[in-house]
Amino acid sequence: MFVRVIKNNKGKKNTCFCALVESYRDSSGVPKHRVLINFGQVDEESVPFLKAAFAKKNYL
């Protein structure tokens, strides 16, 4: 899973559209993406916090 970030070129400056996306392979083996949560419009300052919240943690 990862957070997809798309900069907003129209409307409010310094904002992005974010979504939580899952990568998977379909039955024929082709890689695809599936949107799990759409966060909508988010300030650019909040993006690192979203990415950190949904980052994979490897605790050994």
Side-chain angles (χ1 to χ4, degrees):
M1 281 193 279
F2 62 96
V3 177
R4 179 187 292 161
V5 179
I6 301 171
K7 287 195 172 196
N8 188 6
N9 293 332
K10 300 176 184 175
K12 284 180 149 181
K13 297 288 183 184
N14 299 328
T15 58
C16 302
F17 290 96
C18 296
L20 183 64
V21 179
E22 176 185 37
S23 300
Y24 71 99
R25 291 186 182 265
D26 65 359
S27 58
S28 62
V30 178
K32 294 190 173 189
H33 292 157
R34 167 183 333 169
V35 176
L36 300 177
I37 301 172
N38 221 344
F39 295 113
Q41 196 169 5
V42 178
D43 292 331
E44 277 188 357
E45 297 88 32
S46 304
V47 172
F49 298 112
L50 267 178
K51 286 185 176 184
F54 292 101
K56 246 185 198 179
K57 307 278 193 234
N58 291 329
Y59 297 109
L60 296 177

